[in-house]
Amino acid sequence: MILSDLGADIIKVERTGGGEDGRAMGPHRGDWGAYFVALNRGKRSIALDLAKPEGRAAVLRLASTCDVFLENFRGGKAAALGLDEAAIRARKPDIIYASLSAYGPSGPDYTKPGYDAVLQARTGIMSVTGTGQGHPMRTGVSILDVTTGTWMALGILAALLERRNSGQGQRVDASLFQTGILFMAYHLVYRQFTGVDPQPQGARHKAFAPYGSLPTADGQIMLGISSDRQFQRLCTALGHAEWANDPRFRVNRDRVANVEELENLIATVLRTQPTPHWVALLDESDIANDAIQSPGQVLNDPQAAALDLFTQINLTGEQPIVLPRLPIGLSLTPAAAQGPPPSTGEHGRSILQEAGFSDAEIDQLISAGVCA
């Protein structure tokens, strides 16, 4: 999706008989699944049966016309299908061969299946997420899926730049496991410095206080105080300048050690007024803070509107929706959605025609059940 918004022509190869699994992930509007709609705008879809030799041959022929081949099978599956790097590169020597996997391109767990939450567990993210009460928690968004895709797009762009300079294509690997390990960098250093594993802090931070979510009269507000100067401004804004001289709170290390007492004092004050009151007051004091918003509130956020962060997307047969734009600005070549998400196999005939298939060959693939 990232590369599509940046102007690439994306051919999405899906299975026959319903397409990729994400299409079935709800909630649904008509035939459209929310998960699929969120991630597949601007792509063109062809549905091929890769269990049949003719389906695999069609993929190889398509690849010979492309700059990049990206596969997202579990480890070993691409090779079993005859769609590994050697097979693809034999058709186009300078192609960028990209492989996005759960556990990486090698190692003892190379062939294990994996999803975002499973890898959040394996890489330790779940050990530091939540409050530590009850079951371990994953993050509320699929951070490994989304960020691994971002790393993959970055790697592909770097490989394309190298090919422009040297004429050589290369392999690009990214995995949920590698992304999760990188996310844990601070916590891994914490373990090495202290000799103990960091524990879940909820919305708090082990290095700063007050740093976390606190109740107001009508909701919750998030505070971020990372220096003694900021804490002094917070105390003044809340009408309790004396807290800044309290031995329990005078410097950051003391505040971290006495965070429960400090948060109780602050919460007592914050509960007296609604969230907008405190956001405005703390903004005047140049203190990092904001309301904890729901998705419904985010869709109507005035800052998002000012930045034009949403784009309208059409859904065949249904009312249009809005989706977030890419979170980057390019002054000369701005990113933009290239079209709606595709129906399964919607562009199959035109994709095959562009790759040099004759109408008779295409009809034969359809009649044989190779292409839907």
Side-chain angles (χ1 to χ4, degrees), residues 9 29 32 36 38 62 67 104 112 121 164 175 177 200-201 224 251 254 269 275 283 290 299 307 319 333 346 349 366:
D9 177 19
R29 177 177 286 181
W32 295 102
F36 182 84
L62 290 175
D67 295 295
K112 277 174 63 78
R164 190 186 72 175
S175 71
F177 183 74
Q201 297 294 307
V251 297
D254 297 329
V269 176
T275 303
D283 283 352
D290 229 319
L299 284 169
L307 296 174
Q319 292 295 313
T333 56
E346 178 181 349
R349 181 172 289 274
I366 293 173

Side-chain angles (χ1 to χ4, degrees), residues 292-299:
I292 297 177
Q293 296 199 127
S294 68
Q297 291 171 314
V298 172
L299 284 169

